[in-house]
Amino acid sequence: MKKLATRKQYIEALNFVLSARSDFKKLEYHKHNASGEEYIFLTDVIGQVAILDVTGYSDASIYPALAIIECGGKPRCYITDQKKRLELGKMFA
């Protein structure tokens, strides 16, 4: 299997896979230019957003984190702090 060249391409592939779910809206990847921190925003059709801090995660570690969310759980990288969520939402809007 051909290795994906970038993290962004990997997230785009996951976006395609998740599109099979009827409640799925989009999966976005964001990288902070100054700090290099990486985040994934998973949005459903009613506007709920799960934000994951995937800084330092391998591509292979991202998929299981998303699977935990799809099964109703919260992985360790899930950001629950409301202040941090608002900060990231504004930063990457």
Side-chain angles (χ1 to χ4, degrees):
M1 177 151 100
K2 180 180 170 187
K3 182 177 169 133
L4 294 171
T6 68
R7 172 68 53 99
K8 188 170 183 168
Q9 288 176 318
Y10 179 70
I11 301 302
E12 288 171 1
L14 290 176
N15 191 52
F16 177 76
V17 170
L18 291 170
S19 70
R21 292 185 53 103
S22 62
D23 62 345
F24 174 78
K25 184 173 181 180
K26 64 183 172 180
L27 184 68
E28 300 175 286
Y29 169 74
H30 297 282
K31 185 172 184 175
H32 190 277
N33 291 333
S35 68
E37 294 172 321
E38 298 175 290
Y39 301 96
I40 292 176
F41 288 59
L42 174 65
T43 307
D44 68 16
V45 295
I46 60 170
Q48 297 182 99
V49 180
I51 304 174
L52 307 178
D53 181 349
V54 295
T55 305
Y57 274 53
S58 68
D59 289 346
S61 298
I62 292 173
Y63 184 73
L66 291 172
I68 290 169
I69 291 172
E70 293 302 315
C71 292
K74 289 185 180 173
R76 285 191 305 226
C77 59
Y78 190 97
I79 299 174
T80 57
D81 180 77
Q82 191 65 19
K83 185 177 178 182
K84 179 72 174 176
R85 290 172 55 83
L86 287 170
E87 175 187 317
L88 291 170
K90 290 177 183 178
M91 186 181 310
F92 298 116

